[in-house]
């Protein structure tokens, strides 16, 4: 199935010059969604991780379904102030400033094998921050997985110390 045909381009969103990759048509189509999840989990079926670390917010959609298929848990990574228990935070640089992500301090144990999952890999900054969070809790990042990778932004370069899997690669 050509999953890319279920991704809609929205120009100038959220700001001028950005071509937003809208996944809602894919989410609405059951066969496309099922195929996307199957392809996301394919590299991990033989050796499932202990957890999928899902990056807010669209990453939650894919990680929850993928975790059910893999028989593992999901750990949310969110913007500051969104998680109710004690958190660990990292700050990271963006092309237009800085941002931060948090994870519950007790969400992962030392030695847990983790895959970081999100809907989109662009410049790689957000995923690199999530990887830092995981490692600072003592867990091992065994991969990262994305529905879409914007190859031309070279985000993979920030994640070159572990395998990166993307279902749709947009050159």
């Amino acid at each position: 199935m050509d999953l890319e045909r279920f991704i809609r381009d929205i120009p100038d969103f959220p700001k001028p010059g950005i071509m937003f990759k809208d996944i809602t048509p894919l989410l609405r189509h059951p066969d496309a969604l099922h195929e996307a999840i199957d392809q996301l989990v394919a590299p991990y079926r033989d050796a499932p991780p202990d957890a999928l670390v899902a990056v807010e917010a669209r990453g939650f959609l894919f990680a929850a379904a993928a975790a059910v298929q893999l028989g593992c848990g999901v750990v949310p990574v969110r913007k500051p102030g969104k998680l109710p228990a004690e958190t660990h935070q990292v700050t990271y640089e963006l092309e237009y400033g800085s941002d931060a992500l948090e994870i519950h301090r007790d969400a992962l144990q030392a030695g847990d094998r983790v895959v970081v999952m999100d809907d989109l890999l662009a410049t790689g900054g957000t995923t690199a921050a999530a990887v830092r969070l995981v490692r600072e809790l003592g867990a091992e990042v065994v991969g990262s997985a994305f529905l879409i990778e914007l190859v031309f932004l070279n985000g993979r370069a920030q994640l070159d110390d572990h395998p990166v899997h993307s279902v749709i690669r947009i050159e």
Side-chain angles (χ1 to χ4, degrees):
M1 176 181 293
D2 177 16
L3 294 176
E4 193 170 345
R5 72 185 177 98
F6 295 96
I7 307 301
R8 176 172 50 196
D9 285 345
I10 307 291
D12 299 320
F13 183 83
K15 62 183 188 175
I18 302 291
M19 180 65 73
F20 186 79
K21 299 299 182 184
D22 181 15
I23 63 170
T24 56
L26 183 140
L27 295 173
R28 177 63 180 98
H29 193 281
D31 292 338
L33 180 57
H34 191 273
E35 180 65 22
I37 300 302
D38 281 349
Q39 288 188 38
L40 268 172
V41 302
Y44 314 108
R45 283 195 193 281
D46 292 338
D50 297 306
L52 298 177
V53 169
V55 180
E56 183 176 299
R58 291 178 301 271
F60 296 170
L61 298 168
F62 295 100
V68 169
Q69 283 199 19
L70 292 172
C72 67
V74 177
V75 174
V77 167
R78 302 204 64 189
K79 300 288 184 187
K82 302 284 186 172
L83 293 171
E86 186 179 355
T87 61
H88 179 65
Q89 182 181 101
V90 296
T91 301
Y92 61 104
E93 296 304 313
L94 300 167
E95 38 305 343
Y96 51 85
S98 65
D99 209 343
L101 291 175
E102 292 183 340
I103 190 170
H104 278 146
R105 284 195 179 274
D106 61 356
L108 298 170
Q109 304 302 312
D112 280 348
R113 298 174 61 257
V114 171
V115 172
V116 176
M117 188 170 284
D118 204 353
D119 69 317
L120 180 80
L121 174 60
T123 62
T126 302
T127 304
V131 166
R132 246 179 71 206
L133 280 172
V134 168
R135 290 183 174 149
E136 287 177 7
L137 292 182
E140 175 190 2
V141 176
V142 297
S144 56
F146 308 91
L147 174 65
I148 303 168
E149 178 180 359
L150 303 179
V151 177
F152 59 92
L153 292 176
N154 200 29
R156 190 178 282 248
Q158 289 202 51
L159 311 173
D160 63 0
D161 61 347
H162 66 268
V164 176
H165 171 63
S166 53
V167 174
I168 299 168
R169 294 174 48 92
I170 297 175
E171 304 289 333

